[in-house]
Amino acid sequence: SSVTIETSLIERNQWSGIVLAEGAASVTNTRIVDNGGTGIRADWTGGSLTLSGNRMSGNRYPLQLTTDKLGATSGESIDSLLGNTNDSLIVVCCGNISAPDTLRTSPKLPWRIDNTDLTFVDSTIWKIEAGATIGMTQGTFFTFDGGALRADGDTARILFTSADQNRGDWGHLLFNSTTDTSLIRNVEFKYGGGHGTNGTLRIASSIVHPVVLDTVNINNSSTTGLRLNGPSIVTGPVVVDSNDGTGMLVRYADISLTDSRFVGNGGHGLWSNSQATGLTVERSVMSDNGDWGASLSGDNTTVGNSSLTGNTNGGLWIGATSPVVRGDTIESNGGTGLDVSDASNSVVENNIIADNSN
């Protein structure tokens, strides 16, 4: 079945203006105004939806769409969806997101995602504009099984958060596979890490195109903040504070972290395994964590001009060959200040190591 609505006026209804139930639907060049509910509700999965040239204002919300209908928003200008009691796009279950054009989230029209998963497939590009907010209720997961994310907060922070503002309210943002380079710039992730996931922001080893991280803040997660397992380029500070698990886990080679913070996490502040060779940490803070400030296992690791203080089980542990520890302050930790387990070709110089328990 199919429905076509064009060049119409739909106004002053008690509930929603248009409710679309199944099949294919097209709504074009129509004014949907002053209705008591949502302007257009498309609550079914499957079929197709086309939106173009419409005007929605004076409604409670402009649009409520299932995830597989989000691509239809590319046919509308953001301004044509404004002027409602709540200028938010409501996203409900279900279906993969495959958009022929770039899918955009604007600060003018925040997304409210109601207990559903968003899976991006094919070559879908999700562009999040500076200042935009993505708000979630319980249990939302974002997964890239294709496509790419361009979250560029160059002029204003982008925020992923939950409605209830409790740790673990939502799950994760996972890059499983991508068809292009992704960018996360000046983005804050709050209250994620729940519903069985093991990290709020996760970059899998299976991706081919890298994720660029430039000024990322992850806090108040109920598990690890950032799990970096695959191709990544870090060009700006990483701030991972106040998470219940480890702040950041690195399992990929040649990562450089500068002017970063790993503070107040329940596990290690920074943790790397043997795959994280060539890790460099400069001018960073790893303090007040529930385990070690940094526990690092990749060969050729460098920690320089950084502060590791007040951690429960120790300051800096390095279990690999050829480490460089230079110009660091390692003080007032609950265990050992500095433990270089394999001292082969190690360089340890110009550090302050004081007032640690061991």
Side-chain angles (χ1 to χ4, degrees), residues 318-348:
I318 299 182
T321 61
S322 304
V324 176
V325 182
R326 179 183 290 125
D328 297 309
T329 298
I330 307 173
E331 293 182 324
S332 303
N333 295 287
T336 300
L338 173 62
D339 186 344
V340 179
S341 296
D342 186 342
S344 301
N345 301 312
S346 62
V347 175
V348 179

Side-chain angles (χ1 to χ4, degrees), residues 30 37 110-111 115 123 158-159 190 204 256 261 269 322 346:
T30 292
W111 284 19
N115 192 27
S123 297
I158 293 168
L159 176 63
K190 304 185 72 165
S256 294
R261 281 173 48 91
S322 304
S346 62

Side-chain angles (χ1 to χ4, degrees), residues 107-144:
K108 297 179 182 179
L109 189 72
W111 284 19
R112 195 193 87 186
I113 301 170
D114 287 350
N115 192 27
T116 189
D117 299 342
L118 279 72
T119 302
F120 297 85
V121 298
D122 301 326
S123 297
T124 301
I125 303 295
W126 183 19
K127 181 176 180 179
I128 308 177
E129 298 175 0
T133 296
I134 312 296
M136 282 84 66
T137 56
Q138 293 284 331
T140 299
F141 289 79
F142 303 86
T143 303
F144 282 84

Side-chain angles (χ1 to χ4, degrees), residues 24-310:
S26 174
V27 183
T28 60
N29 301 315
T30 292
R31 294 186 68 234
I32 306 137
V33 297
D34 300 329
N35 298 287
T38 302
I40 297 177
R41 286 182 53 188
D43 291 347
W44 86 102
T45 57
S48 62
L49 175 64
T50 299
L51 300 174
S52 178
N54 300 296
R55 181 71 177 100
M56 300 171 218
S57 64
N59 307 290
R60 186 177 180 188
Y61 294 95
L63 281 171
Q64 178 172 314
L65 303 176
T66 53
T67 56
D68 65 342
K69 302 297 184 299
L70 284 171
T73 61
S74 61
E76 302 282 13
S77 72
I78 294 297
D79 288 343
S80 72
L81 305 176
L82 303 180
N84 302 277
T85 304
N86 299 284
D87 282 333
S88 296
L89 171 62
I90 303 174
V91 183
V92 296
C93 185
C94 297
N96 292 338
I97 302 168
S98 179
D101 299 312
T102 298
L103 185 65
R104 297 177 185 273
T105 302
S106 165
K108 297 179 182 179
L109 189 72
W111 284 19
R112 195 193 87 186
I113 301 170
D114 287 350
N115 192 27
T116 189
D117 299 342
L118 279 72
T119 302
F120 297 85
V121 298
D122 301 326
S123 297
T124 301
I125 303 295
W126 183 19
K127 181 176 180 179
I128 308 177
E129 298 175 0
T133 296
I134 312 296
M136 282 84 66
T137 56
Q138 293 284 331
T140 299
F141 289 79
F142 303 86
T143 303
F144 282 84
D145 279 331
L149 173 64
R150 305 282 166 71
D152 191 352
D154 56 344
T155 58
R157 180 198 62 170
I158 293 168
L159 176 63
F160 284 72
T161 189
S162 73
D164 295 333
Q165 299 187 0
N166 295 314
R167 292 172 186 250
D169 275 349
W170 60 283
H172 61 223
L173 175 64
L174 167 64
F175 292 90
N176 216 21
S177 67
T178 54
T179 54
D180 205 344
T181 298
S182 291
L183 171 66
I184 302 177
R185 175 183 289 146
N186 193 18
V187 180
E188 182 176 7
F189 300 88
K190 304 185 72 165
Y191 309 116
H195 302 270
T197 189
N198 59 6
T200 294
L201 177 58
R202 299 172 54 195
I203 301 171
S205 59
S206 54
I207 71 170
V208 175
H209 303 277
V211 178
V212 178
L213 303 173
D214 181 358
T215 312
V216 177
N217 186 324
I218 305 172
N219 60 75
N220 290 288
S221 301
S222 61
T223 184
T224 297
L226 172 57
R227 297 179 69 93
L228 198 161
N229 292 359
S232 306
I233 302 169
V234 182
T235 60
V238 173
V239 177
V240 191
D241 290 352
S242 302
N243 300 286
D244 286 348
T246 289
M248 179 177 179
L249 172 61
V250 181
R251 290 177 170 171
Y252 191 74
D254 298 322
I255 296 298
S256 294
L257 300 167
T258 303
D259 297 323
S260 296
R261 281 173 48 91
F262 311 89
V263 176
N265 300 288
H268 303 303
L270 177 62
W271 184 14
S272 72
N273 74 351
S274 59
Q275 295 168 285
T277 58
L279 174 66
T280 298
V281 184
E282 287 284 347
R283 301 196 308 270
S284 295
V285 177
M286 293 148 275
S287 298
D288 301 317
N289 297 288
D291 207 323
W292 287 79
S295 177
L296 311 176
S297 298
D299 292 341
N300 301 305
T301 289
T302 297
V303 180
N305 303 302
S306 296
S307 175
L308 302 97
T309 63

